[in-house]
Amino acid sequence: MIDGYNANADKLADFELVRRVLDELPVEMGMTKVLPPFVHRYDGHTGHSSGVTGVVLIAESHIAIHTFPEKRFVSVDIFSCKEFDLSKALSSIVEKFEIGRYETYLINRGKEFPKDPDLARQIVLGEREYLEARVS
């Protein structure tokens, strides 16, 4: 996760830039886009700041961007089950939105989820056998 502060407000308000970043970032990261990016401009009529928000689904999970031009803030979530070059993705985002300062948060999710497909298959088959034995 990336929280970007003191970003270029014009770039944060740029619908096409947000769409382009979501379209290009998966390729830069070696990920696989499942669908084109979905981007929406919101006008702040509900008491929230205006901005642009978007998401792109990737085979490895998703990337979401939420911009707040009036506050010069951007929030980016890159959720991936595949390892990638975080510094390369970060540099790209910082450059494209001209972010002045940022904080990053890395959460390792699914620590017990097996990465090996054969191991995962064995676990699932074992659980099925166990459940079938209990039901019969």
Side-chain angles (χ1 to χ4, degrees):
M1 294 177 281
I2 303 163
D3 286 343
Y5 303 93
N6 303 321
N8 181 316
D10 291 333
K11 292 195 176 206
L12 296 179
D14 187 336
F15 180 92
E16 180 55 30
L17 176 61
V18 172
R19 190 208 60 76
R20 193 168 61 248
V21 170
L22 287 168
D23 192 49
E24 295 171 356
L25 192 59
V27 176
E28 292 174 20
M29 296 170 45
M31 304 293 182
T32 307
K33 282 185 290 184
V34 175
L35 294 170
F38 175 80
V39 182
H40 177 74
R41 181 182 314 277
Y42 51 95
D43 61 14
H45 66 276
T46 59
H48 298 285
S49 298
S50 62
V52 179
T53 193
V55 65
V56 62
L57 296 179
I58 55 177
E60 299 77 10
S61 195
H62 70 271
I63 302 170
I65 298 176
H66 309 281
T67 73
F68 302 86
E70 295 166 9
K71 297 179 181 181
R72 298 179 57 204
F73 176 76
V74 60
S75 176
V76 181
D77 295 335
I78 302 171
F79 189 179
S80 174
C81 60
K82 176 182 171 185
E83 290 187 25
F84 62 94
D85 186 341
L86 178 59
S87 62
K88 183 177 178 181
L90 177 62
S91 294
S92 178
I93 291 164
V94 167
E95 177 186 319
K96 289 175 181 167
F97 292 108
E98 297 178 6
I99 296 171
R101 182 177 66 82
Y102 59 84
E103 295 174 346
T104 60
Y105 309 92
L106 178 62
I107 299 173
N108 289 316
R109 298 181 68 181
K111 293 177 186 174
E112 295 182 26
F113 183 79
K115 306 282 191 243
D116 179 344
D118 290 328
L119 178 57
R121 188 175 303 104
Q122 289 173 3
I123 291 169
V124 169
L125 290 175
E127 288 177 352
R128 283 184 185 162
E129 288 176 15
Y130 171 75
L131 290 172
E132 287 174 0
R134 289 203 53 179
V135 171
S136 5

